[in-house]
């Protein structure tokens, strides 16, 4: 009788344990956050926004940069004169290094994080590129191509601030920004003339103007959007465009000298 009772008790404990384990697993599965639903653009109806960013007004005389405090930096330019690059405008008034992005019109849409990374290089004792963009959660690769130690120090308001040195020959560093923020200023604490700006948005519709001031935002779903342009020396400017199915729109914007 005792042996039968022991066997029954053992079976009861085993069944109870299994039920508890199953209950725990069910609870865990129930509390697991659902997988995000990403918006998929219908390429058959997607459109494109293109444009040119201009600058009007007096062009200040470029500031001469003194790199003599670090001979390796001066030697990188073979002793030639180096000028500040905060305002790059050609003879036609085309403005380079303007960050252009969709600031309104994509509300309620979530976009998958790109798997490719964006690179910023420390070369010739400059940050290259000076202005760049990436999506939230996208990887930023930080490279030091110079024979000197640099320091990269982003100073965000909404993201986590960080500050790291990177010596010559050090491996690339990899960082991410989790919140949208336009723009994040970057400096080098070692070389005070080194500056860059990072635009972080939660969608793929952004660009940086080239030397000819042009930009392109492809693969946009039909809709009405606010296109905003940012530049480090001036207040942002914006315009509204409407994209018809498979349509094209222009967003030409002009910054005016302060």
């Amino acid at each position: 009788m005792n042996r039968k009772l022991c066997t029954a008790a053992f079976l009861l404990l085993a069944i109870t344990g299994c039920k508890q384990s199953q209950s725990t697993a069910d609870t865990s599965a129930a509390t697991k956050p659902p997988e995000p639903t990403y918006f998929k653009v219908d390429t058959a109806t997607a459109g494109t926004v293109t444009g040119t960013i201009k600058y009007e007004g007096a062009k200040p005389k470029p500031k001469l940069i003194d790199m003599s405090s670090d001979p390796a930096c001066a030697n990188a330019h073979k002793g030639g004169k180096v000028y500040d690059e905060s305002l790059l405008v050609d003879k036609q008034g085309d403005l380079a290094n303007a960050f252009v992005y969709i600031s309104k019109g994509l509300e309620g849409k979530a976009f998958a994080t790109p798997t490719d990374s964006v690179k910023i290089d420390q070369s010739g004792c400059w940050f290259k590129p000076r202005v760049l963009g990436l999506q939230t959660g996208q990887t930023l690769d930080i490279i030091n191509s110079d024979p000197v130690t640099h320091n990269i120090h982003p100073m965000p308001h909404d993201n986590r601030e960080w500050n790291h040195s990177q010596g010559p020959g050090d491996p690339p560093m990899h960082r991410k920004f989790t919140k949208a923020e336009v723009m994040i200023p970057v400096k080098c604490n070692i070389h005070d003339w080194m500056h860059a700006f990072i635009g972080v948005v939660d969608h793929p519709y952004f660009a940086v103007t080239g030397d000819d001031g042009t930009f392109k935002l492809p693969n946009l779903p039909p809709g009405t959007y606010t296109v905003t342009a940012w530049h480090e020396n001036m207040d942002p400017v914006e315009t509204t465009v409407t994209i018809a199915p498979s349509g094209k729109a222009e967003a030409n914007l002009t910054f005016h000298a302060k």
Side-chain angles (χ1 to χ4, degrees):
M1 178 63 70
N2 288 340
R3 182 176 298 175
K4 289 182 179 179
L5 286 174
C6 288
T7 301
F10 176 79
L11 290 173
L12 180 61
L13 286 172
I15 293 170
T16 302
C18 288
K19 287 184 177 179
Q20 288 176 343
S21 298
Q22 183 65 42
S23 176
T24 302
D26 291 344
T27 302
S28 177
T31 57
K32 183 180 179 181
E35 292 293 327
T37 301
Y38 295 120
F39 180 79
K40 294 184 179 180
V41 179
D42 180 3
T43 56
T45 61
T48 301
V49 174
T50 59
T52 302
I53 307 300
K54 296 278 190 179
Y55 172 86
E56 285 186 357
K59 300 176 185 177
K61 185 178 180 180
K63 179 183 177 182
L64 184 66
I65 301 297
D66 182 9
M67 294 187 177
S68 61
S69 60
D70 193 325
C73 292
N75 291 338
H77 299 274
K78 300 180 180 179
K81 293 182 178 181
V82 183
Y83 292 93
D84 175 71
E85 296 182 342
S86 60
L87 184 65
L88 298 178
V89 184
D90 67 15
K91 293 180 180 180
Q92 290 74 41
D94 303 316
L95 182 63
N97 284 339
F99 184 76
V100 185
Y101 66 106
I102 299 295
S103 57
K104 294 179 183 178
L106 293 169
E107 293 78 11
K109 295 181 176 66
F111 294 86
T113 302
T115 56
D116 60 328
S117 61
V118 176
K119 182 174 75 173
I120 185 169
D121 193 2
Q122 297 153 107
S123 176
C125 294
W126 288 119
F127 286 119
K128 296 182 179 180
R130 184 181 183 91
V131 179
L132 65 149
L134 68 164
Q135 270 187 247
T136 49
Q138 189 173 11
T139 300
L140 176 67
D141 296 333
I142 302 112
I143 312 293
N144 182 7
S145 297
D146 282 334
V148 298
T149 295
H150 285 299
N151 167 269
I152 182 166
H153 183 184
M155 298 169 290
H157 289 290
D158 301 325
N159 287 276
R160 182 178 65 85
E161 183 174 354
W162 47 271
N163 180 8
H164 294 291
S165 294
Q166 192 174 35
D170 284 356
M173 294 187 291
H174 311 287
R175 297 292 183 270
K176 296 180 181 180
F177 298 98
T178 59
K179 298 178 181 178
E181 185 169 353
V182 179
M183 301 284 284
I184 299 174
V186 182
K187 68 177 181 178
C188 173
N189 293 342
I190 300 172
H191 306 104
D192 60 7
W193 61 81
M194 291 179 64
H195 297 280
F197 299 88
I198 300 173
V200 184
V201 293
D202 55 8
H203 57 73
Y205 303 109
F206 59 89
V208 178
T209 56
D211 293 340
D212 61 356
T214 62
F215 71 91
K216 184 177 183 180
L217 304 176
N219 204 37
L220 264 168
T224 298
Y225 302 99
T226 299
V227 180
T228 299
W230 173 97
H231 190 274
E232 60 183 279
N233 288 337
M234 292 160 282
D235 295 329
V237 292
E238 63 182 36
T239 188
T240 300
V241 298
T242 297
I243 300 291
S246 304
K248 295 181 180 179
E250 285 193 2
N252 299 313
L253 292 163
T254 300
F255 287 94
H256 297 275
K258 289 186 176 181

